[in-house]
Amino acid sequence: EWIAEDLARQRPISCMIGNTDTALPQYGVSKADIMYEAPVEGGLTRLMGIFQDYQNLEKLGSVRSSRLYYAYYSMEYDAIYLHYGQASYAQGFLESGQIDDLNGLEYAVDQAVIYRDKSKKAPHNAYATGEGLMAGVELKNYNKEHGEDYNGSFTFAKDDKPVKLKGQTCQKAAVVFPGYQINKPYFEYNSQDGLYYRYQYGGRHIDGTDGSQLAVKNIIMQNAGVRTLDSSGYLEVTTTGSGTGWYVTNGKAIDIKWERTDNFSPTRYYDSDGKEIKLNQGKTWVCVLDQSHPERVQF
């Protein structure tokens, strides 16, 4: 969506957000421009929101720990990555200097960025504010704006030319089931406003800040290789190479292919004719799915 030019050059904040039923409701999630959802251990999912305009966030979280593949997804947007700790597999990369992150396990970051909600039990009680995020960026002396070579991840439709999906693979998508097994989310299309409204854990997926239901204009479902790393169930998710998926907007879905050359470059998405897809203006939800279970996805 159109924003002020100076804000468009600002680096966004990406934030790891807990998505267990005991962590609900989440706060600030309706303000995310892009939301990532991917599997974690135990069949659960975790969310990572990308926030372009974060300065005025009242409450964001709960802030949870990193997984390596989420850090790689954050890199696509040149985002400053907020998390509270990490799985051991992510620690080396997070400490390598290749990513600008705000880690709540670092005492100075915890004091500057994180506060505890006393009505919540740990580990679901750590939250951030826009003021705290700005303080954290100042503390770490991170660049606040994108470099001149940053060109964004997506191409968007013009104001008067919305995307209307068509082609051999096009199908109706009034209700979209990504197929996650624990929270059992789905998106329901509202033809009145053209948005997909989100449900999970048997009810509306809401932002606790104002009780609003999460809704997005675009859904990208990205099939990826997923394998279990250890007895604790920690996962490795393929973030580079290529794979298949679906793009969903305005009540329809098409098959797509995704490609990513390395973890410092954006993922590109192509239709069945090999043309890079355009997104409709608005919020986007990216569902990263286990490619070994395509039967779980339903429209």
Side-chain angles (χ1 to χ4, degrees):
E1 297 174 332
W2 289 105
I3 57 175
E5 187 174 0
D6 57 344
L7 183 59
R9 295 307 304 174
Q10 175 178 279
R11 296 176 68 193
I13 290 287
S14 60
C15 177
M16 295 298 299
I17 300 167
N19 197 39
T20 60
D21 55 354
T22 53
L24 302 179
Q26 299 141 335
Y27 290 83
V29 283
S30 64
K31 302 299 184 182
D33 300 289
I34 304 164
M35 186 69 78
Y36 272 77
E37 182 171 20
V40 291
E41 55 279 3
L44 295 164
T45 68
R46 190 158 288 189
L47 305 182
M48 183 184 74
I50 311 292
F51 299 85
Q52 186 76 41
D53 187 4
Y54 59 84
Q55 287 91 334
N56 295 316
L57 286 171
E58 297 177 22
K59 184 177 183 179
L60 176 59
S62 60
V63 182
R64 295 300 310 276
S65 59
S66 171
R67 302 293 179 269
L68 180 57
Y69 43 97
Y70 280 101
Y72 288 154
Y73 289 129
S74 177
M75 295 287 288
E76 297 199 34
Y77 304 94
D78 189 30
I80 298 169
Y81 182 46
L82 173 65
H83 59 100
Y84 204 104
Q86 65 280 320
S88 60
Y89 303 99
Q91 188 165 353
F93 178 69
L94 293 171
E95 294 177 352
S96 69
Q98 299 177 83
I99 184 171
D100 290 346
D101 73 324
L102 297 171
N103 187 349
L105 283 184
E106 184 180 336
Y107 179 78
V109 171
D110 179 82
Q111 294 297 298
V113 179
I114 302 296
Y115 77 93
R116 302 304 190 278
D117 183 336
K118 295 180 180 179
S119 69
K120 292 281 191 178
K121 294 182 179 180
H124 310 297
N125 63 343
Y127 294 86
T129 64
E131 183 178 359
L133 290 167
M134 290 190 292
V137 173
E138 290 285 351
L139 172 72
K140 301 294 285 187
N141 197 30
Y142 290 145
N143 289 330
K144 297 176 183 177
E145 293 191 351
H146 293 296
E148 293 183 1
D149 58 344
Y150 180 77
N151 295 313
S153 294
F154 297 117
T155 301
F156 290 94
K158 295 181 179 179
D159 292 350
D160 57 347
K161 293 184 178 180
V163 172
K164 297 180 180 179
L165 298 180
K166 57 185 178 179
Q168 289 185 343
T169 69
C170 187
Q171 57 184 308
K172 292 182 179 180
V175 183
V176 179
F177 295 89
Y180 299 119
Q181 297 296 288
I182 302 297
N183 57 329
K184 299 187 184 321
Y186 64 93
F187 300 85
E188 193 171 89
Y189 182 61
N190 184 327
S191 60
Q192 299 299 311
D193 60 12
L195 300 179
Y196 280 91
Y197 286 78
R198 163 96 173 183
Y199 297 80
Q200 67 169 1
Y201 290 112
R204 299 185 310 134
H205 191 169
I206 67 167
D207 187 328
T209 305
D210 58 8
S212 62
Q213 185 174 3
L214 303 192
V216 296
K217 185 64 179 179
N218 309 292
I219 303 168
I220 292 175
M221 292 191 285
Q222 181 172 331
N223 291 318
V226 178
R227 72 183 185 97
T228 304
L229 294 172
D230 59 24
S231 59
S232 297
Y234 285 110
L235 303 178
E236 178 182 74
V237 176
T238 302
T239 56
T240 59
S242 62
T244 60
W246 298 268
Y247 171 44
V248 184
T249 192
N250 286 348
K252 295 183 178 180
I254 59 169
D255 293 359
I256 58 172
K257 179 181 179 181
W258 64 268
E259 295 181 352
R260 190 182 186 193
T261 55
D262 58 61
N263 285 315
F264 300 90
S265 303
T267 304
R268 300 298 182 190
Y269 301 92
Y270 303 92
D271 63 21
S272 57
D273 294 324
K275 296 180 180 178
E276 188 168 358
I277 65 171
K278 288 185 177 181
L279 301 186
N280 277 314
Q281 296 178 21
K283 297 179 184 296
T284 299
W285 197 290
V286 181
C287 294
V288 179
L289 307 175
D290 185 342
Q291 65 185 13
S292 63
H293 293 287
E295 75 284 353
R296 293 176 178 172
V297 177
Q298 297 181 26
F299 298 107

